[in-house]
Amino acid sequence: MVDAAQQPPAVHAEQVRKVFPPAEGVIADSAAGTVALDGINLTVQPGEFVSLVGPSGCGKSTLLRIIAGLTDASAGRVSVNGVTVSGVDTNIGFVFQDPNLFPWLTVRQNVAFGPNMRGGRRNPHAGDVDDLIARVGLGAFADALPQHLSGGMAQRAALARALVNRPPVLLLDEPLGALDAFTRMAMQDELRNLTRRYNTTTLLVTHDIDEALYLSDRVIIFSPRPGRIQEEMVIGSGFTRARNAPGFVERRLRILETLHFAPTEADLPESVGNWKI
Amino acid sequence: MRVKSVLNASAPLLAAGGAYAIHRYWPDKIPLSASQTFPGLLGAVALVWLAYLAASWWSARLRQRAGEVAPLWAAALAGISLWQVVTGKMGLLPMPFFPGPDRVFSVFGVSSEVSMLAIGTLHSLRLLATGFICGSGAGFLLGVWIGWSKRANFWGMPVLKFFGPVPATAWIPLALVLFPTTFGASAFIIGLASLFPMIVLTSSGIAGVRHSHLEVARTLGADQWQLIRHVAIPSALPSIFVGLFMALSASFLTLIVAEMIGVKAGLGFYITWAQNFAEYYKVFAALLVMGVFFSGLMSALFAVRSRVLRWQQGVIKW
Ligand SMILES: Nc1ncnc2c1ncn2[C@@H]1O[C@H](COP(=O)(O)OP(=O)(O)O)[C@@H](O)[C@H]1O
Ligand SMILES: [Mg+2]
């Protein structure tokens, strides 16, 4: 019997460091190159939804890419479900900020790409393609080419494509960053439903603090480059996820404070001066 | 509006009638060919146009299409008529180098000539197909390799840069030594002519595949071969088609050169052969056949491209 405590963490990073060597045409921080990440320790439990926020350039994307096996770490160790990451693995789904749909394939063919690469019809998930397309609300567009989709639709197709393999771990790199506010809110709900439904462990990089608070069980705040974990905020299951709930606003301010963006007394008009916490 | 469209639709008929009248009643400087093929052709064109109009009575699409092509048909007929005026009717151009349409089309009324042209076309097609398919096929494979593998690119590019600009026809002496038959040698030269544009455009298309597409495919479980087959090649297809077009034009040129200097069959051979007898009207007839043949192949390739690259329409206009 394996109980929950003995189950290996879904994602485990230990003292991860990443240095990009100086290269032609790339502005490095020093002659030794750019230290993108330093001393990252991170443990994500199965089924957990964790968000990473931090200033741009602090290495969030780099960390996701290391976990996905797309980039090697310079030092440290990363494991997914107890297995050390040594290359790209289909146990991990990845959604980029750009939907990156293959323009020569229809929505259905794009979503079916993963199963097709891994056994075609014999793949156990080949039958899930249409189901997932319907679930992300693209049923009527299954045969459309990506060029005919709006940004939000394309990103939903990309989400379906990553999820059809039923990866136990899903990595999302600012997937909703390019969308307008309304589409984004609708997709946040969709994302929550889908990851809940499949009990997918999710790591979300976002620059939208509300999004992080709204979706996550835990928010991790990075320092500016070289990226280090500066603070962790456990949201907890009792948390009211309404965007205007008092706890929500309070936590948002705390994150902003950590990121040195909190409004100071001088920034606030007289009438809301009592907002300070 | 109505009057205008009726006039437009009947323009080819008027042009055919006018061309016939000029052919029949304008006094000749150079004796008219006894052959009735040219006036017959004018009549046939008029009949085909009438049938087209009749069919478009029922189909709105055909009607629109007829309206679009009517001026082109009329202009083509007028051009042929002008050709007759300048040559036979007014005698402005030296004979026998510039025969009129009556004389050129007379070739198509002689069954032995028609069968020679037909057999010539088939010979040309066989040689062209052999050379083009082998050359562009090899060019495709090498292009994929050079575009994908850094090492193949490192060693292959200098060779390509060095030999690529050398015209394929410059290899003729070598080809004749290497191959026992002139057919083999010519197919080799045509293959070489299609090889280089194909390698260059395929490899640049493959090398230009978006890195992010490859990464997505890898996270979805594609292995190296699947990346090439399902990501790199599809995304390189627009460039590959440009390579195919260049390869096809290069192989036309090489085909005719080969047939004019070595191969004893084909349209190019027919032209040199007719020229030796100073039968220039046959030269022109063969040129007409060649025009139909080559433009037909080009159109076929265009049609394939439109089908295969449907996903690209609207992204890039061409
Ligand atoms: N391939 C690379 N080569 C060199 N430097 C890179 C590369 N990728 C990222 N970096 C650098 O690493 C730092 C972190 O980048 P990134 O992970 O994209 O940050 P974030 O996603 O948090 O905005 C940046 O300074 C960036 O310039
Ligand atoms: Mg980033």
Side-chain angles (χ1 to χ4, degrees):
Chain A
M1 279 291 279
V2 180
D3 68 1
Q6 283 176 337
Q7 209 175 336
V11 176
H12 184 69
E14 227 177 274
Q15 290 300 323
V16 169
R17 181 181 161 84
K18 178 66 185 179
V19 184
F20 287 106
E24 224 175 310
V26 180
I27 299 165
D29 290 350
S30 72
T34 304
V35 182
L37 292 168
D38 198 16
I40 300 290
N41 289 309
L42 175 68
T43 305
V44 183
Q45 296 306 332
E48 212 182 356
F49 196 125
V50 174
S51 288
L52 307 177
V53 299
S56 117
C58 71
K60 307 179 296 290
S61 300
T62 305
L63 180 59
L64 283 203
R65 293 175 57 84
I66 290 172
I67 296 169
L70 289 166
T71 303
D72 293 330
S74 311
R77 185 176 161 274
V78 178
S79 65
V80 169
N81 295 325
V83 180
T84 303
V85 172
S86 61
V88 178
D89 186 334
T90 48
N91 277 329
I92 300 170
F94 205 117
V95 178
F96 299 80
Q97 176 166 11
D98 188 303
N100 279 316
L101 295 176
F102 303 119
W104 55 90
L105 299 178
T106 63
V107 168
R108 181 182 285 114
Q109 291 167 330
N110 263 286
V111 175
F113 190 88
N116 281 344
M117 292 306 105
R118 302 186 302 129
R121 263 176 229 287
R122 281 171 286 117
N123 187 294
H125 301 309
D128 297 349
V129 170
D130 281 324
D131 177 55
L132 251 164
I133 292 173
R135 229 171 256 292
V136 297
L138 289 177
F141 293 89
D143 294 312
L145 285 168
Q147 55 166 308
H148 297 126
L149 302 181
S150 70
M153 286 154 79
Q155 199 54 279
R156 276 184 282 172
L159 191 60
R161 179 173 64 176
L163 284 173
V164 77
N165 279 336
R166 294 286 168 79
V169 175
L170 182 64
L171 306 177
L172 305 163
D173 193 356
E174 304 194 25
L176 312 183
L179 305 182
D180 66 85
F182 293 108
T183 316
R184 187 151 70 205
M185 286 196 270
M187 282 206 59
Q188 286 166 0
D189 291 332
E190 231 162 72
L191 194 59
R192 226 150 78 90
N193 291 337
L194 285 167
T195 49
R196 285 264 169 87
R197 176 176 191 82
Y198 300 136
N199 195 30
T200 311
T201 309
T202 312
L203 254 176
L204 168 75
V205 168
T206 177
H207 54 235
D208 181 344
I209 292 166
D210 286 5
E211 181 171 288
L213 285 171
Y214 185 67
L215 291 170
S216 322
D217 302 317
R218 197 147 50 104
V219 179
I220 290 177
I221 303 153
F222 272 61
S223 70
R225 192 172 60 242
R228 288 193 177 87
I229 293 177
Q230 191 168 349
E231 197 178 321
E232 281 193 34
M233 185 185 282
V234 178
I235 307 293
S237 52
F239 179 56
T240 320
R241 284 172 199 274
R243 293 169 212 272
N244 56 1
F248 202 95
V249 176
E250 182 190 316
R251 285 181 157 99
R252 181 204 290 146
L253 276 174
R254 233 177 71 208
I255 295 175
L256 285 171
E257 225 165 47
T258 313
L259 293 169
H260 304 293
F261 286 122
T264 62
E265 196 109 27
D267 292 330
L268 298 171
E270 282 299 306
S271 57
V272 291
N274 57 355
W275 248 50
K276 200 165 78 79
I277 39 169
Chain B
M1 203 56 227
R2 266 201 94 71
V3 179
K4 219 172 145 187
S5 68
V6 169
L7 212 64
N8 183 44
S10 49
L13 292 178
L14 294 175
Y20 180 75
I22 288 171
H23 167 77
R24 184 86 170 73
Y25 300 111
W26 188 320
D28 295 287
K29 274 268 168 53
I30 294 153
L32 208 55
S33 160
S35 158
Q36 290 304 307
T37 317
F38 179 55
L41 182 86
L42 292 177
V45 170
L47 278 179
V48 168
W49 185 255
L50 274 176
Y52 200 165
L53 287 185
S56 67
W57 185 267
W58 289 283
S59 149
R61 233 191 79 216
L62 268 186
R63 189 154 55 239
Q64 194 195 341
R65 186 87 191 117
E68 282 166 14
V69 298
L72 294 176
W73 282 52
L77 287 161
I80 291 173
S81 195
L82 181 69
W83 168 21
Q84 187 169 29
V85 169
V86 172
T87 54
K89 300 299 177 184
M90 298 177 73
L92 295 178
L93 296 174
M95 281 299 278
F97 310 108
F98 296 99
D102 51 313
R103 205 161 286 278
V104 169
F105 284 105
S106 76
V107 174
F108 302 123
V110 183
S111 64
S112 62
E113 296 297 337
V114 170
S115 73
M116 272 182 75
L117 280 169
I119 291 168
T121 307
L122 289 178
H123 272 287
S124 292
L125 184 61
R126 192 177 62 159
L127 181 53
L128 185 77
T130 310
F132 174 71
I133 290 171
C134 295
S136 53
F140 172 77
L141 294 176
L142 287 171
V144 170
W145 191 29
I146 289 177
W148 186 258
S149 144
K150 288 233 155 53
R151 180 174 306 209
N153 189 67
F154 178 81
W155 294 105
M157 253 334 180
V159 180
L160 213 61
K161 279 196 180 134
F162 187 76
F163 288 110
V166 177
T169 42
W171 297 93
I172 285 176
L174 192 72
L176 289 173
V177 176
L178 281 174
F179 288 84
T181 61
T182 41
F183 182 87
S186 312
F188 173 73
I189 295 299
I190 294 167
L192 265 187
S194 351
L195 182 72
F196 286 104
M198 254 326 251
I199 296 183
V200 171
L201 278 134
T202 304
S203 66
S204 80
I206 295 280
V209 55
R210 271 174 58 185
H211 193 64
S212 55
H213 280 156
L214 295 175
E215 287 192 334
V216 167
R218 281 171 62 204
T219 64
L220 292 171
D223 60 29
Q224 187 85 350
W225 280 113
Q226 288 172 326
L227 289 180
I228 296 176
R229 164 72 187 80
H230 294 287
V231 182
I233 292 178
S235 83
L237 273 179
S239 175
I240 290 171
F241 269 101
V242 175
L244 278 175
F245 279 109
M246 290 176 61
L248 192 59
S249 344
S251 47
F252 288 160
L253 181 81
T254 319
L255 169 77
I256 297 309
V257 171
E259 288 180 344
M260 282 182 163
I261 63 180
V263 184
K264 294 276 179 285
L267 288 172
F269 173 69
Y270 182 95
I271 288 180
T272 355
W273 179 77
Q275 186 200 0
N276 287 340
F277 292 94
E279 290 174 323
Y280 282 89
Y281 61 102
K282 292 188 183 171
V283 172
F284 282 90
L287 285 174
L288 285 177
V289 173
M290 214 181 267
V292 172
F293 175 47
F294 288 171
S295 69
L297 288 176
M298 276 287 181
S299 308
L301 189 55
F302 262 108
V304 172
R305 177 170 81 164
S306 312
R307 267 196 86 77
V308 174
L309 295 188
R310 194 170 300 160
W311 59 271
Q312 227 203 0
Q313 276 157 20
V315 178
I316 295 165
K317 212 72 206 148
W318 33 268

